[in-house]
Each structure stands twice: as C-alpha cells, then as structure tokens.
Amino acid sequence: MPLFTRSRQLPDTTEAGADTGGGGVTGEEAAEETGRAEASGPPGWFGWRRRHPRTARGVTVGTTVLAGALVLFALLVPNRLERLTPGAFLRIPAEGVLLAGLLLALPPRPRRVTAVVSGVLLGLLTVLKFVDMGFYQVLARPFDLVLDWILLGYATDFLRESFGRTGQVLAVAGVIVLFAALLVLMTLAMARLTDLMVRHRPVAARTTLVLGTAWITCVTLGVQVTAGVPVATKGNAEFVGNRVEQVRAGLRDARVFEKQAAVDAFATTPPDRLLTGLRGKDVLFTFIESYGRVAIDDPAMAKQTDAVLREGTRSLKAAGFGSRSGWLKSPVTGAGSWLAHSTFLSGLWIKNQQRYRSLTTSDRMTLTNYFRKTGAWRTVGIVPGVRRAWPEGKYFGLDHIYDSEHLGYHGPYFSWTPVPDQFSLEAFERLEHGRKDREPIMAEIILASSHNPWSPIARMVDWEDLGDGSVFHRIKKEGTDPKEVWKDPERVRTEYRRAIEYSLRSLTEWVERYGDEDTVLVFLGDHQPVPTVTAGDTGKDVPVTIVAHDDKVLDRVSGWGWTEGLKPAGDAPRWGMDEFRDRFMTAYGPRA
C-alpha cells in the first residue's frame, strides 16, 4: 500500500517530548499523525484530492465545521421544546471546555479512547434529551430511567392504533435510525475535532484557556443571553446529576410505597359494616378520559363546556337527580390513565409503573374490592380501552370484565378509541344494568372517546339507532383527519373540547334515559390532557361529580362543601385523588 502523507510538513520529532512553544508534538504523536494519514481513506480519494486540492480542502473544512456544530449542538440543546431557542446555543458549556482541556492533556492512546467514549456518551445524552422532549409534550415531565421503559411499548401501540401499522413501523424505524446515526456521527465528530486540536495544539490550548476564563467571568458577573438564560452553563452536568438522583429516588420509592400500602383504615372492618349507606343502590364509578380542569377553566373552552354542564344539570334535575361537584388532583397528566384509576380506587398515590405493579400484586383492598367484600353487589367493569389480556383486572375485585371485544360493537375505531362512549353505555345497559331480577351493581366504567388524538370524534345518535355500532362507520367518514388536525394546536384544542362534550352528553343522557331512584353515579376525569391542549398549564386538577336520585345519598356528603350541579366552582374543595377512597367509605359507612 503506498504511503500517503498530508501536504504539510510533519514537525521534527527528533527530541521526543520537546516543548516547542507549549505545543510540541511527541514522537508517539507523530507516529499517530502518520498512521491517520495512511488510513484516512482509499487511494482513489487521495488521487482526487491531488487533482482537486481546493475542492478537497473545502470538503475537509466543511466536514470539520459540521462536526463542531454537531458537538456544540449536543452540549447546548435543552431537553424541552419551549427552551429550544437561538439564545440556547449562544452559551459557553463548561463540559465542553473541560473536555477540550482533558483531551489536550492526555497521551495519544488514552486520548483516542476518551474521544470515542465522549462521542458515545454525548450521543446517548442527546437521545435522552430528545426523549425528554417527547415526554414533556405528552406527560409534562422528563423520562424516568428506572420506571418509564414500559411506556415506550405503550407509545408504539398508540401509534399503531392511531395511525395504522404502517405509521407505527415508519415511526419506530425512524427512531432507531436516528438513534444509531446520532451515536455514530457524534463519535466521528469527536474523533475529528480531537484530531484538529492535536494538529493545532497551541491554538487549541489558548482557545480553551480563553473560553475557560470567559466562563468563570460570566458566572461571576451573572451575564445572561436573555432573561433566565446564562451565558456560562453547566447544564449537562446538572442534567446528569438530576438523572442520577432520579434513579436513586426510584430505587428508594419501592420501600416507601411498601410502608404506605400497609396502612388501611378499613382492613379490619367487618363486611356488614362497610358501605351501609349505599346498600340496594347501583353505584357507578365512571372515568372520562382526559377530562381535566382545562376544559372548564380555559377561556377558549369554558363557554361551550359550561353550556353542556349547565344543560346536563338542568336535564338531570328535571329527571329527579341532584349532583355535587369538586376537584381532585391526579397523580399524572397527559397520559397514564391506569395510574389515576388505581390511585382513585386504592387510596394510594400511584405515580409510576413501579407502584402500579407493586399495588396490583399486593393484597391492598381497593374501593371495588370493598364493594365485592360486602357480598351486596355484583361488581363489573366496562373497559373498552382494554384490547389484550389484562391480568390486573382480577386484582380490582371485578366479578366480570367487558373489554372492547365483548361489548357487541361492530363499528369502526375512532383513532385510538375502540368503542364510542354512547355505545359503551348502551352495552352496559343491555348486558348488566337492564337485566331483570338482578342484584345491585357496582360498575367501573371507562369512557374512552375523549382519548388523544381526539380525531375523528363520534357524535350522538338516537339511542334506538345504535344497533351493533355500524351506524358509526358513516360518522367516522364525516370526521376529521388526525394528521391534519395535529398540524394546528388550536384545532387540537377545539377537537379536544368537542370530544369532552360528547363524553359528557353520552353520560348525562344515559342517566336520564336509564337511571332510577337507586342510581348513584360518581364520574371524574382521570388526568389533564397533553400540554398542546393545556397550553403550558402544569396543573393536575380534574373535576369529580356525584349524581344521585335519592337525596339521602347526597346528604351524606353535605359536609364536603362541594358545588351543587355538574360544574365545580373554581374555589370548590380540592383533594388528592388518593384521598377519595377513605372519604367516600367514611361518608357511606355506619352512622355513629
């Protein structure tokens, strides 16, 4: 193989280690330089470089600039989209200055290893920042390195159900390619920049010293690019430090939760002393997907939502039903409905998947378990969002579970939503509530039509026309396209509001049509919608309402201070969702 050397003259290395103005090249470094020259490309490339030296130099300079830009991007890119501004990239990263100094100080072989390892770590750091961006957009929090891996599987399922198998495959393939490309390109970029610094050691050393001095000066003087964005940053060190603490907290959390779960005020209460104030009643706990405070308080939605709630309050009152409403704070926002459901039912703060798994493999009694324990109710679940085996269902104490395959629905999916809410409620009437000579029912009902992406949305039809759900094929065709809707945040917010209105109307009309003097309905939101809808509001409040025909049922909660009607007042009581179970069981337990 012919020997190809760079066009410049290599330094004299007769005196290995001699200091030539602070930037001498050792004999080992000279050998490293020659080796790079020999192995840097095929002979054809060097022939082309000799024939087109100016173009070749332009390619070399351009590649080096791109490498520098990529590394600088990795060091400065934030992990939240709203912080992704030009000012974020006009800063001095402490980690970059320290890394440059380290690479210049190391001998050749350790330097090469450090450059490669640094490139891989920077690539992984950038991937984690991108994942954080997605989590903040959906869950308003960063990715948890201990507890959130299972959510990635749920995300791919959501893509398939919302955009089809092709959309899922393309999205997953794109993520994998991006991940691999970032690792490879970041590693190559670090190697190239390291080579550049070594070949221009005096300039690199002076530049590093100047940047380090500038960083210290900016920290001392508090210099900022814009308000809240300092010129001198150590963001990556803080980012990694926060993740280390997050991992430690996740590992500690299991022990904390175990102690909390062991405390249950009703564990030793005899069955005949449980829920005595509801004996003979049909008690329905109904969750409305993504029904958050934003639907009531946001000025862009308040007028329309208020009209639906007022109309529902009037029509229910005309049918003999009273109602009281308040607020609950959900453990999650944007997604994670099952965590909210289990928090509400268990009386424990289920804020992550680790707690959920611990709960559903424990003997902790839920609200539904206690209804079952009395022997006075048949307990059923209407869970149209379940489309696979759900072993946790047994834990919640349900005698029978109706998933999406067992509601008799033969209509279309509405993006993620397998069964429209109106049909789910009609199926509950047909399968359980409307049966003759039955025992009282306690039902957990999940209404999923207001699930992200809120496009297309079902609409109300005459209850007599529901049939097997085929009527919804035409309604879906008339609906919106989620890919088009999600190009405009305001359209997303509008479609979200319309979905909430549909869910509320489905529920209130069902009560008017099928409710009787023994009906007790508790309905609530599971969590706030994604930040695209909440417009940056990080609150986790959701409305909760009790509806009953029997005044004695509402009298039991008169001391709660809840607002009369389906709409809670802005200053209505606000409890943690984990507080509801014990308050409810106390209110409807034996009177002293």
Side-chain angles (χ1 to χ4, degrees):
M1 176 180 177
L3 175 64
F4 297 95
T5 59
R6 301 182 187 274
S7 58
R8 70 176 183 83
Q9 180 68 38
L10 288 175
D12 183 6
T13 59
T14 320
E15 298 181 18
D19 185 353
T20 55
V25 181
T26 66
E28 186 178 357
E29 288 171 339
E32 178 186 11
E33 176 92 0
T34 303
R36 281 195 302 268
E38 291 177 343
S40 59
W45 161 250
F46 288 100
W48 182 86
R49 287 185 64 181
R50 285 196 298 270
R51 292 193 302 272
H52 307 282
R54 187 171 297 178
T55 303
R57 180 172 177 78
V59 170
T60 300
V61 171
T63 305
T64 302
V65 170
L66 288 176
L70 182 60
V71 170
L72 191 63
F73 175 85
L75 289 168
L76 293 176
V77 65
N79 66 334
R80 301 180 65 163
L81 280 175
E82 63 270 23
R83 296 176 182 172
L84 197 62
T85 62
F89 298 97
L90 299 176
R91 298 180 294 165
I92 305 173
E95 302 83 6
V97 176
L98 292 173
L99 181 58
L102 177 63
L103 290 170
L104 287 171
L106 287 173
R109 191 166 289 109
R111 180 168 58 239
R112 288 195 296 271
V113 173
T114 301
V116 170
V117 171
S118 299
V120 172
L121 292 178
L122 270 179
L124 291 173
L125 193 68
T126 307
V127 169
L128 183 55
K129 289 179 179 180
F130 285 158
V131 173
D132 271 3
M133 289 180 189
F135 266 67
Y136 272 112
Q137 287 300 105
V138 176
L139 301 176
R141 64 170 178 82
F143 177 73
D144 192 309
L145 288 167
V146 175
L147 307 172
D148 282 342
W149 293 101
I150 191 172
L151 300 184
L152 300 181
Y154 293 154
T156 60
D157 290 344
F158 173 76
L159 287 171
R160 184 185 68 250
E161 292 150 1
S162 298
F163 304 105
R165 179 69 177 174
T166 302
Q168 178 199 34
V169 170
L170 290 175
V172 171
V175 169
I176 293 173
V177 169
L178 176 63
F179 176 77
L182 271 173
L183 293 185
V184 172
L185 292 176
M186 202 68 70
T187 303
L188 293 175
M190 278 301 304
R192 188 173 191 88
L193 292 179
T194 301
D195 176 41
L196 180 69
M197 287 192 300
V198 170
R199 287 190 284 113
H200 302 280
R201 182 184 292 272
V203 174
R206 287 194 295 269
T207 302
T208 301
L209 181 61
V210 168
L211 288 175
T213 303
W215 190 92
I216 294 172
T217 303
C218 289
V219 167
T220 303
L221 299 179
V223 180
Q224 296 184 341
V225 179
T226 58
V229 182
V231 171
T233 176
K234 51 179 180 178
N236 292 291
E238 293 172 347
F239 181 78
V240 172
N242 290 338
R243 288 314 163 91
V244 171
E245 180 55 35
Q246 183 188 66
V247 170
R248 290 174 178 169
L251 297 175
R252 290 194 302 265
D253 186 62
R255 296 190 296 272
V256 173
F257 181 71
E258 184 178 0
K259 293 179 180 179
Q260 293 174 345
V263 179
D264 188 344
F266 300 94
T268 59
T269 304
D272 62 353
R273 302 281 293 171
L274 292 168
L275 300 162
T276 54
L278 292 171
R279 297 300 171 100
K281 304 296 185 185
D282 294 320
V283 184
L284 318 177
F285 296 103
T286 303
F287 295 90
I288 298 179
E289 170 67 38
S290 299
Y291 178 33
R293 186 162 190 155
V294 66
I296 292 175
D297 285 356
D298 190 291
M301 309 180 204
K303 182 177 180 180
Q304 296 91 334
T305 306
D306 182 71
V308 173
L309 293 173
R310 289 184 182 279
E311 177 189 348
T313 300
R314 286 195 299 268
S315 59
L316 289 175
K317 187 174 183 179
F321 290 91
S323 54
R324 301 290 185 273
S325 299
W327 303 103
L328 297 178
K329 180 183 177 182
S330 174
V332 293
T333 185
S337 302
W338 63 97
L339 304 180
H341 300 169
S342 52
T343 294
F344 179 84
L345 297 173
S346 71
L348 295 170
W349 195 249
I350 312 300
K351 61 182 180 179
N352 56 51
Q353 192 66 18
Q354 177 175 270
R355 287 191 168 207
Y356 178 75
R357 286 176 172 173
S358 298
L359 174 70
T360 55
T361 54
S362 72
D363 57 2
R364 170 79 178 192
M365 295 287 285
T366 64
L367 192 53
T368 46
N369 285 125
Y370 277 121
F371 271 92
R372 188 181 188 185
K373 182 179 179 180
T374 66
W377 283 273
R378 170 174 166 78
T379 58
V380 300
I382 305 296
V383 287
V386 174
R387 283 158 283 186
R388 64 178 74 177
W390 187 44
E392 299 97 327
K394 294 181 180 179
Y395 163 76
F396 289 101
L398 300 174
D399 294 320
H400 193 85
I401 296 174
Y402 297 93
D403 59 22
S404 62
E405 301 297 321
H406 296 89
L407 293 174
Y409 181 67
H410 295 284
Y413 274 39
F414 283 78
S415 290
W416 185 91
T417 306
V419 184
D421 291 347
Q422 187 183 10
F423 190 94
S424 294
L425 291 165
E426 179 66 22
F428 170 62
E429 179 65 24
R430 169 170 40 85
L431 296 168
E432 290 286 346
H433 188 262
R435 291 165 56 184
K436 296 181 180 179
D437 302 323
R438 60 170 177 79
E439 57 190 321
I441 296 172
M442 187 241 74
E444 178 187 356
I445 302 173
I446 313 297
L447 299 183
S449 288
S450 50
H451 194 289
N452 186 339
W454 310 298
S455 174
I457 303 169
R459 59 175 172 78
M460 296 298 295
V461 299
D462 192 293
W463 291 83
E464 299 294 339
D465 295 337
L466 284 172
D468 66 356
S470 298
V471 64
F472 287 103
H473 282 289
R474 175 176 53 83
I475 293 173
K476 180 179 180 178
K477 290 180 181 179
E478 296 170 353
T480 56
D481 181 348
K483 293 188 291 294
E484 293 300 318
V485 168
W486 278 81
K487 292 178 181 178
D488 180 1
E490 287 307 312
R491 286 195 67 187
V492 174
R493 286 159 56 80
T494 298
E495 295 306 298
Y496 163 77
R497 173 185 55 77
R498 292 180 58 229
I500 293 296
E501 291 173 8
Y502 168 74
S503 295
L504 290 169
R505 287 197 174 99
S506 296
L507 188 56
T508 55
E509 286 191 20
W510 182 91
V511 175
E512 290 177 58
R513 183 178 177 85
Y514 296 116
D516 56 31
E517 62 274 9
D518 291 325
T519 300
V520 177
L521 168 67
V522 179
F523 74 89
L524 66 152
D526 50 10
H527 55 70
Q528 287 262 62
V530 296
T532 302
V533 176
T534 61
D537 182 1
T538 58
K540 295 183 177 181
D541 291 356
V542 297
V544 57
T545 300
I546 296 180
V547 178
H549 196 284
D550 187 345
D551 290 338
K552 294 178 181 178
V553 172
L554 295 179
D555 289 343
R556 291 262 185 160
V557 298
S558 59
W560 287 2
W562 284 16
T563 308
E564 183 175 356
L566 302 184
K567 178 185 176 182
D571 60 352
R574 174 179 176 265
W575 307 335
M577 194 175 280
D578 57 332
E579 298 178 50
F580 183 86
R581 188 202 75 157
D582 286 8
R583 288 179 181 267
F584 185 86
M585 292 186 66
T586 299
Y588 292 105
R591 289 292 179 90

